[in-house]
Amino acid sequence: MKSLRRVFLRRLLNALVTLMLVLILNFYLFRVMPGDPVRLLIPQDPSIGPEFIERQREAFGLGKPLLEQFFIYLWNTAHLDFGLSYYYRTPVWDYIWDSLQWTLILVGTSSVLMIVIGMTMGIISAWRRGGLFDTGSLAFSLFFYAMPTFWFAMMLIVIFSQQIPIFPAGGQLSIGETLWPMDGDKMLDLLEHLILPATSLTIGSIAAFSLIMRGSLIDVMTEEYITTARAKGLSEYKVLKDHAVPNAMLPMVTLIAMDLAFVVGGAFQTEQVFSYKGIGWATIQATYKRDYPVLQAAFLLIAVTVIIANLIADLLLVKLDPRVRMD
Amino acid sequence: MTPISTTVADILHLSGPTREKLALARRRGANMWRLYRASRVGMLGLILLFVVLGMAVFADFVTPYGPFEPTGQPHETPPSPKNWLGTDLSGWDIYSRVIYGARVSLMIGLVATAVSMGLGTLVGLMSGYWGGWRDEVLMRITDVFLVIPWLVLMIVLAYVLPGGPSVTKVVFVIGITGWSSTARIVRAQVFSLKERAFVERARAIGSGDLHIVRKHIFPNVFPLIFANAILTIALSILSESTLSYVNLGPRSYEVVTWGNILNDAVQAHAMTLGYYWWIVVPGLCIVLVVLAFTFIGFALDEIFNPRLRKR
């Protein structure tokens, strides 16, 4: 068995390499791939003045050797300078940063809900395996798993916003409001706008959590220490709570981080359907508006976030589960 | 069963070893089918799949119009006896388009899966068999694709890659986005396989690397990939519909998929107009086909993965 510190360092190194490769990919995709970087990085819109084009050319170092461009790109990225948005003519970072808070609210709320609901469903299913709840929750999870998230979101609008008009069909606050300063009324407004998007994002992702939790718990329940716990005369509830569930939780740690990549995909669709102005909405709008700098920055920011989340989960797992250190 | 196979073998004038192989394959198939039939979920999936396949194969016979055939109706009409689901922005019959949509949707799902499974298997085999620094390099690349959220990568690729939207591009984008988890699974399996006695034995009698991988390792990895591939078809079809929804899929005047019917509905403001059938029906078709492949994949996983079967 390797030492804890060596495994930690090894994982950290891997994450750094991945990060570097993502940086190269991001540079490559937007500069080299389409053949003509000027076409991509200089907007074709005639209303854009020559001084704006000159500024972009300067900022991205276009015309210089590729390697030099790459170092300019690294330098700019390190300073969070992603140039100006073609559409808004404001620094890309400010725009992305504003969008990010909304995505955090949506993804944060939904993640908590899907983890809690999914795990609870998984535990009950494993406990009453083959029973009515087990079958029902499997059918429920698979049905929503099979649904495109954007389509489910549209159905929610049709039902709860058009047929029974109880929730707003889009936006993140009533028109004209901003997030800060926050007060009680605004909190309610926020929640009202959050319910449908959060529901659409949560329900499709419950399946992964409940199925893995169920499988993991069923595995654990066949272990000998569970038999021992039962033989000691512990109640079924105590066996589950103190002996089975904590051990079955381990795969969930990895899953939560890995699932983040899927949740982000779902968040993109949800935000688009509800015109919820988070980073997913911003990215998709950027493809409509041919706003390359925004697209490039959003791609990088999302990738980096997921890399960090995965690293944290990896390190946590190494600390929690000594068996991981063996490989 | 036996006489049929005997005649096939006789007609083809097969030699002894080939004949034996055929018989072995048939016995294996029959055994597999016996296990599969016992799974209720698997049979349900198969029935759903036949429904969708029926739509794709018999589209010409069950639709009143072709997918791009003018109906003579005005644009965007509500359902009527002539047009069961009304007409769309171009005056095409939505019901007919939904039925025809099964063809390209299924095709994209299958081909994109073949691309991603092929790539993932190749990388996984190389990585697992070689080990060492080559494994290290391949795995770091795999990590990049594993870590970037699928939809984000798909959107950026579909947008940045040269050439307009097309079926080929969508297939490529879905394939290139989805191979990484397969590579991981295959690699892990190869790692454990290459230490096993039968591989050692093959190496000891002087078999080459390519021969060992093809004849000894790949056949043992295959069942694992197969169940995974079926599940991936479902995800690929979902991916196509999502790409089409954000307007990066194939154009609806060139091909018809369930995804771009939904995109048409969005472009036509079907939701605000209250034309719900235009959204509900293609969406349910996607749910149907995704469920079909998911059920089949689950059932196969249970058969191929003995650890699951035992419990």
Side-chain angles (χ1 to χ4, degrees):
Chain A
M1 189 185 286
K2 294 170 192 164
S3 76
L4 191 61
R5 195 159 56 141
R6 255 192 77 181
V7 180
F8 261 58
L9 281 176
R10 162 90 201 177
R11 299 279 157 111
L12 196 66
L13 191 68
N14 280 359
L16 282 175
V17 174
T18 312
L19 184 69
M20 199 60 210
L21 288 176
V22 166
L23 278 168
I24 294 171
L25 180 72
N26 195 36
F27 176 80
Y28 185 80
L29 277 180
F30 284 88
R31 255 9 106 102
V32 185
M33 204 72 134
D36 181 12
V38 181
R39 180 179 73 82
L40 286 182
L41 295 166
I42 303 296
Q44 302 295 307
D45 185 348
S47 76
I48 290 172
E51 67 274 17
F52 182 86
I53 292 178
E54 201 39 54
R55 194 206 171 278
Q56 295 295 88
R57 190 180 286 278
E58 187 81 18
F60 292 121
L62 297 179
K64 294 188 176 138
L66 208 57
L67 198 65
E68 206 178 323
Q69 279 190 45
F70 182 66
F71 285 115
I72 295 176
Y73 155 81
L74 283 185
W75 176 260
N76 288 347
T77 304
H79 291 81
L80 302 178
D81 176 7
F82 297 98
L84 296 185
S85 154
Y86 295 166
Y87 187 79
Y88 298 99
R89 315 283 167 86
T90 52
V92 168
W93 180 251
D94 296 354
Y95 174 57
I96 295 280
W97 189 246
D98 281 347
S99 312
L100 195 62
Q101 58 182 3
W102 292 112
T103 301
L104 284 179
I105 294 175
L106 176 64
V107 169
T109 313
S110 302
S111 296
V112 172
L113 286 176
M114 70 182 81
I115 291 166
V116 171
I117 299 173
M119 274 178 26
T120 314
M121 274 169 66
I123 292 172
I124 302 176
S125 293
W127 182 40
R128 292 266 180 261
R129 190 177 163 206
L132 198 62
F133 183 89
D134 189 18
T135 319
S137 83
L138 185 68
F140 172 88
S141 313
L142 284 184
F143 182 65
F144 286 102
Y145 164 84
M147 229 175 246
T149 308
F150 72 89
W151 186 74
F152 180 50
M154 286 156 93
M155 290 296 109
L156 284 177
I157 292 183
V158 166
I159 298 169
F160 294 107
S161 177
Q162 295 186 333
Q163 296 304 90
I164 320 166
I166 37 176
F167 294 115
Q172 54 291 52
L173 284 174
S174 292
I175 291 164
E177 299 280 357
T178 49
L179 186 57
W180 306 105
M182 173 66 75
D183 57 37
D185 280 350
K186 202 182 274 182
M187 195 74 194
L188 276 179
D189 192 38
L190 183 81
L191 278 179
E192 207 177 60
H193 283 80
L194 190 61
I195 286 180
L196 290 187
T199 308
S200 88
L201 187 52
T202 305
I203 288 192
S205 306
I206 283 180
F209 289 97
S210 71
L211 287 177
I212 302 276
M213 187 71 207
R214 177 181 180 273
S216 169
L217 194 56
I218 287 175
D219 266 351
V220 169
M221 292 296 257
T222 61
E223 298 278 347
E224 273 162 16
Y225 58 79
I226 297 293
T227 318
T228 312
R230 283 204 179 112
K232 284 195 298 189
L234 294 181
S235 71
E236 199 63 11
Y237 172 77
K238 258 198 129 52
V239 170
L240 211 59
K241 182 175 129 290
D242 296 337
H243 296 259
V245 172
N247 287 305
M249 290 280 285
L250 284 175
M252 300 302 284
V253 178
T254 327
L255 183 70
I256 290 167
M258 288 223 318
D259 219 55
L260 187 65
F262 279 90
V263 174
V264 169
F268 264 54
Q269 300 174 51
T270 304
E271 289 182 5
Q272 174 65 14
V273 175
F274 288 98
S275 306
Y276 187 94
K277 302 200 174 36
I279 203 154
W281 184 84
T283 308
I284 294 171
Q285 291 301 310
T287 68
Y288 295 161
K289 292 165 180 158
R290 309 191 69 81
D291 203 343
Y292 282 92
V294 169
L295 199 57
Q296 189 181 18
F299 178 75
L300 192 64
L301 182 69
I302 292 163
V304 169
T305 313
V306 179
I307 291 175
I308 294 173
N310 272 295
L311 179 66
I312 295 174
D314 257 0
L315 298 184
L316 205 62
L317 197 65
V318 174
K319 202 161 165 51
L320 289 177
D321 187 353
R323 284 170 302 181
V324 179
R325 275 172 247 168
M326 313 256 265
D327 66 23
Chain B
M1 290 290 273
T2 323
I4 298 171
S5 142
T6 314
T7 36
V8 170
D10 286 340
I11 291 165
L12 296 173
H13 298 290
L14 294 178
S15 61
T18 325
R19 188 183 285 245
E20 267 166 36
K21 263 189 203 162
L22 199 71
L24 185 69
R26 194 176 43 77
R27 268 203 304 280
R28 274 202 193 135
N31 192 30
M32 195 77 89
W33 174 240
R34 192 179 49 76
L35 281 170
Y36 187 87
R37 220 174 29 191
S39 157
R40 256 189 292 172
V41 173
M43 290 311 281
L44 182 61
L46 217 51
I47 292 169
L48 292 178
L49 182 62
F50 274 117
V51 172
V52 180
L53 280 178
M55 281 166 76
V57 173
F58 300 109
D60 293 332
F61 305 102
V62 295
T63 54
Y65 300 96
F68 306 104
E69 190 184 331
T71 54
Q73 297 289 318
H75 303 167
E76 287 191 72
T77 48
S80 66
K82 275 194 76 180
N83 306 99
W84 292 352
L85 292 173
T87 55
D88 67 6
L89 270 177
S90 312
W92 292 324
D93 182 45
I94 296 176
Y95 163 74
S96 303
R97 284 177 71 82
V98 169
I99 302 286
Y100 275 103
R103 290 186 175 172
V104 182
S105 296
L106 275 177
M107 198 268 278
I108 289 179
L110 291 171
V111 181
T113 301
V115 171
S116 78
M117 288 322 250
L119 199 59
T121 307
L122 193 68
V123 172
L125 284 175
M126 292 196 297
S127 200
Y129 190 76
W130 283 333
W133 67 270
R134 284 175 289 198
D135 169 46
E136 199 64 39
V137 171
L138 286 172
M139 276 308 109
R140 291 294 78 74
I141 296 171
T142 310
D143 275 354
V144 173
F145 285 86
L146 207 57
V147 94
I148 301 173
W150 61 282
L151 185 57
V152 185
L153 188 58
M154 283 203 317
I155 288 177
V156 169
L157 282 177
Y159 191 59
V160 168
L161 290 180
S166 66
V167 172
T168 323
K169 192 163 157 183
V170 167
V171 164
F172 178 77
V173 166
I174 299 174
I176 207 87
T177 310
W179 60 273
S180 50
S181 54
T182 311
R184 278 276 181 189
I185 298 171
V186 171
R187 172 180 174 269
Q189 185 75 2
V190 174
F191 260 133
S192 80
L193 279 172
K194 74 174 175 184
E195 308 299 334
R196 299 264 281 277
F198 63 93
V199 177
E200 299 261 334
R201 190 199 65 105
R203 197 171 290 131
I205 60 170
S207 306
D209 286 344
L210 196 64
H211 175 87
I212 293 177
V213 170
R214 259 182 45 208
K215 293 286 177 186
H216 298 285
I217 294 189
F218 182 73
N220 284 292
V221 179
F222 185 72
L224 199 74
I225 315 171
F226 190 65
N228 205 264
I230 301 289
L231 291 169
T232 308
I233 297 174
L235 287 178
S236 301
I237 291 173
L238 278 178
S239 301
E240 181 276 323
S241 70
T242 311
L243 266 185
S244 291
Y245 170 69
V246 296
N247 222 359
L248 291 166
R251 294 289 167 240
S252 63
Y253 50 82
E254 286 171 353
V255 289
V256 40
T257 69
W258 291 323
N260 64 28
I261 296 174
L262 282 171
N263 186 37
D264 281 351
V266 173
Q267 306 290 333
H269 305 287
M271 277 221 287
T272 32
L273 289 173
Y275 285 14
Y276 301 135
W277 53 88
W278 195 350
I279 303 166
V280 172
V281 180
L284 283 179
C285 287
I286 297 172
V287 174
L288 194 76
V289 72
V290 172
L291 273 182
F293 284 113
T294 309
F295 285 165
I296 297 172
F298 265 50
L300 287 177
D301 208 25
E302 221 151 276
I303 295 172
F304 291 136
N305 201 338
R307 204 176 57 87
L308 288 174
R309 210 186 325 167
K310 216 169 41 214
R311 289 191 312 216

